Amino acid sequence: PRMKELIEAKKELEALGITIESAGENTNSYKLITPNKLKQYDAVIANGKTVQYCLTLGIPIYIYDQFGGCGYLNSDNFENALYYNFSGRGFGKKSPKKIASEIKSQFLNAQKFQHNHLKQFQERFSLSNGILNILHGSAKYTTPATKLSSNYIHYIVNAEIITKEKIISVKIKPNKSPNLNFIILILVKYIVII
C-alpha cells in the first residue's frame, strides 16, 4: 500500500498501548472532516489542506503521506513545509518506528509550537481572511467590491461543512498514558466546495 510507513507505525503505536480506530479509504467508513470533528483530537497526521484546518484550530499537526514528511510542524520546518504546500515533499521518508516515536515523544513540543503561533496561523490561513483578501485585492483591478452581509460571509466560511473529502483517519486513544487523542488523516483525495 501507498502508506506502508503509517500502517506499520499504527502497529508500533498499538504496541505502546495506544488504541487506534480507523476510518476512510481502505476501510468501511468515510467521514466528513469538520472543525468539530477535528477538535475531538489532540493531534492530526495529514497533508495538504487539512494541515491548514488544524493550524487555524490550534491542533498540532504531523505531516506525513506518500511523499514522506517533516513530522510535527515546528519553527525549524514550517517554512519549508509551507513552500511545498504541506504535501510532505522536501523531507523524505521515515521508518514506521521513527514515526511512532515522534508522534508520542514530540507531542508536547508540537502543542507548544501550535499554541505560540495560533493567532498568526488564524490570520494567515483562515478562510474568512482569505476571502476578504481576495475581495480587497480584486478591488485594485476592478470596481470596488460590494460589502458582503455577515450572513453571507458566515455561509462562505462554513462551506467546509459541505466539503467532501475522501480520507483515511485513525483515532489514537491511549490506554494508560495521559489523555492523548490523535487522528491520523491520510490521502486527502479531493475537496469539493458546493
Side-chain angles (χ1 to χ4, degrees), residues 55-114:
L55 291 173
T56 61
L57 292 170
I59 302 167
I61 182 77
Y62 187 101
I63 297 177
Y64 200 86
D65 199 355
Q66 67 184 4
F67 305 111
C70 60
Y72 282 118
L73 283 175
N74 59 48
S75 298
D76 295 330
N77 64 23
F78 183 82
E79 290 302 322
N80 197 34
L82 176 62
Y83 177 80
Y84 287 102
N85 300 312
F86 304 118
S87 66
R89 290 179 176 96
F91 296 96
K93 299 274 190 172
K94 296 182 181 196
S95 72
K97 191 175 223 52
K98 182 169 181 136
I99 293 169
S101 173
E102 288 179 354
I103 287 170
K104 186 138 173 119
S105 68
Q106 296 178 11
F107 172 73
L108 292 177
N109 288 336
Q111 192 175 44
K112 186 176 180 180
F113 173 78
Q114 182 65 39

Side-chain angles (χ1 to χ4, degrees), residues 16-35:
L16 296 171
I18 297 172
T19 304
I20 299 174
E21 170 190 317
S22 299
E25 191 174 343
N26 299 324
T27 71
N28 294 327
S29 176
Y30 291 104
K31 295 184 181 181
L32 179 66
I33 298 303
T34 64

Side-chain angles (χ1 to χ4, degrees), residues 128-148 153:
S128 56
N129 286 346
I131 290 170
L132 292 175
N133 288 338
I134 290 169
L135 292 175
H136 290 292
S138 67
K140 294 181 212 174
Y141 307 105
T142 63
T143 59
T146 305
K147 185 172 181 167
L148 300 176
I153 290 173

